[in-house]
Amino acid sequence: MDYKVSPVGFMRSCFKEKFAIPRQPQLAPAARGVLELVPPFDTGEAVAGLEQCSHVWLLFLFHQALEDKPRLKVRPPRLGGNASMGVFATRATHRPNGIGQSVVTLEKVEPGRLLLSGIDLLDGTPVLDIKPYVPYADSIAGASNGMASAPPAAIAVEWSDEALVQAHEHAQRLAEPLVALIEQCLAQDPRPAYQVPPPERVYGVKFWDVQVRWHYPEPERIRVLEVVADPV
Ligand code: SAM
């Protein structure tokens, strides 16, 4: 039996590729985006009252991870990419129906759009539903998860003098907290757990409309090399 769902809106996110997006929301408070609602949800009526909430749940489609055949087991990157787990024991992106859920900070409600932060959604993500966060019901004191008991350990993020100047200039142009976004996301160490990159290997990712490039002078240190406008 199949059911049909339609997006209520689409995410305009700082994250232009899947790489370097934090594994969960709230790990990068500077990660901002705008959820553009589609008709008929864009008149203000459907979000009336939502401004009373500090956070909202987003249910969305991992639109860049959809697969025809559902996987029963996955290899979570957090476990080093080797351990195989049942897909329902993980928050993996490759999952039956490809549905993601994130609790994000509601910065502002406007007719037709929600300004959000602390997001972990890729640009263009179709959003299927929005629900107000209900602290007494959604926040469970003493709850546990044996596989993900704490956020990933953060690693030190350093800057070349040139990259820091560039980042501040682009932050001002974008009117976005770009320096904080870069530091918060790179501190999560986006490289696959099994990779021990040589210092000469340069990584890159696109945040907003800039390319951020970095390397690992030592395995547990990140140094941002440059932040340049993306030619595309
Ligand atoms: N908080 C959500 C959940 O628990 O369902 C997402 C968790 S999932 C591990 C987070 C990752 O999903 C991000 O690091 C990013 O790489 C990936 N992602 C985000 N939006 C996506 C999209 N539209 N399509 C495919 N992957 C996406």
Side-chain angles (χ1 to χ4, degrees), residues 156 158-161 213-217 221-225:
E158 302 153 21
W159 294 82
S160 71
D161 294 342
R213 294 196 183 92
W214 70 91
H215 77 131
Y216 294 79
R221 280 172 50 212
I222 279 185
R223 188 162 182 271
V224 184
L225 298 168

Side-chain angles (χ1 to χ4, degrees), residues 154-168:
I155 68 170
V157 177
E158 302 153 21
W159 294 82
S160 71
D161 294 342
E162 183 188 19
L164 191 53
V165 169
Q166 291 168 339
H168 279 298

